[in-house]
Each structure stands twice: as C-alpha cells, then as structure tokens.
Amino acid sequence: MHSSSSPLATAGTPSHRLPGWLHWIALLLLCAAYLQGGLVKLFDFSGAVAEMQHFGLSPAVPLAAATIALELLASAMILFGVYRWLGALALAVFTLGATFLANRFWSAPPEAAFMMANSFFEHLGLVGGFVLVAWHDLRSRP
C-alpha cells in the first residue's frame, strides 16, 4: 500500500519534478551515444558505410545517411522538446532493432558472448529510457 506521502503516489506533482537544467542534462546523457555516433559517422562517412556493410545492410550508403540523420535529428528533437515523444520513440525503435542486429550474444562465440550480452541488456535499458521519455512527454501535454 502506498500512503499519500509516498514518493510513488506523488511522483507527478510539481514539487517532485527535476529542476529544468537537471532534466535537460539527463536527456543529454540519454542521447549522448547517439550524438557522438551520429557525428562520428557524419565525419567518417566511409566508416559508416563500412559498418552497414559489416552487418549485411543494403543499400549501405542510404542506410548510413538515414542512420546519421535519425541519430542527430531525433536527439535534437528530444533535447529541444520539439515532438520529444516522437524523437524518443524513433530512437527506441532504432535501438531495439540495432540491438538485435549487432548484439546477438546467444549465437556469439563464447569469448565474445559475455560482452555482447552486457551490451544487449544495456541497450534494452536505453530503449526503456526512451519509452519513458516519450510517455512523460505525451502525459505532460494538455
């Protein structure tokens, strides 16, 4: 049972919200890997294309460009609050797909399986974080 003084019962009240700057920093941290990855791919486009080819994705050039655009634009949407829910869901779906593509620990050689399993579950945590961002954004709309 939750009493009315429980943090869970009052989590949505204004007195329990993060300060604006801390909320933005949390969003920045959530998007950091996508901002870094998008910029690295943008400035090393041939490496981005090689990554697509490594995972058997074709056509590699448009998929690399789309990945860069998604990582950077969806992150910007989240950080600047422009259709934040949509940017968050886009990164959630992208991350879920990429996780099952790149971190198949169940079929990896034993020496790689441990690290791939860690990465797999860390990425599932990111998916959950993005779903929560989308949910909170949609819930806060009038």
Side-chain angles (χ1 to χ4, degrees), residues 24 75-82 84:
W24 194 84
S75 293
M77 292 167 71
I78 291 168
L79 292 173
F80 296 112
V82 178
R84 178 174 284 147

Side-chain angles (χ1 to χ4, degrees), residues 69-133:
L70 175 70
E71 288 181 328
L72 295 177
L73 292 175
S75 293
M77 292 167 71
I78 291 168
L79 292 173
F80 296 112
V82 178
Y83 292 103
R84 178 174 284 147
W85 65 270
L86 184 60
L89 288 180
L91 285 180
V93 170
F94 170 77
T95 303
L96 189 62
T99 298
F100 278 93
L101 177 70
N103 295 303
R104 295 180 293 214
F105 66 91
W106 53 89
S107 63
E111 62 275 5
F114 179 79
M115 291 301 291
M116 289 180 84
N118 280 346
S119 184
F120 180 90
F121 288 102
E122 288 169 356
H123 282 84
L124 289 184
L126 286 169
V127 171
F130 285 123
V131 170
L132 283 172
V133 167

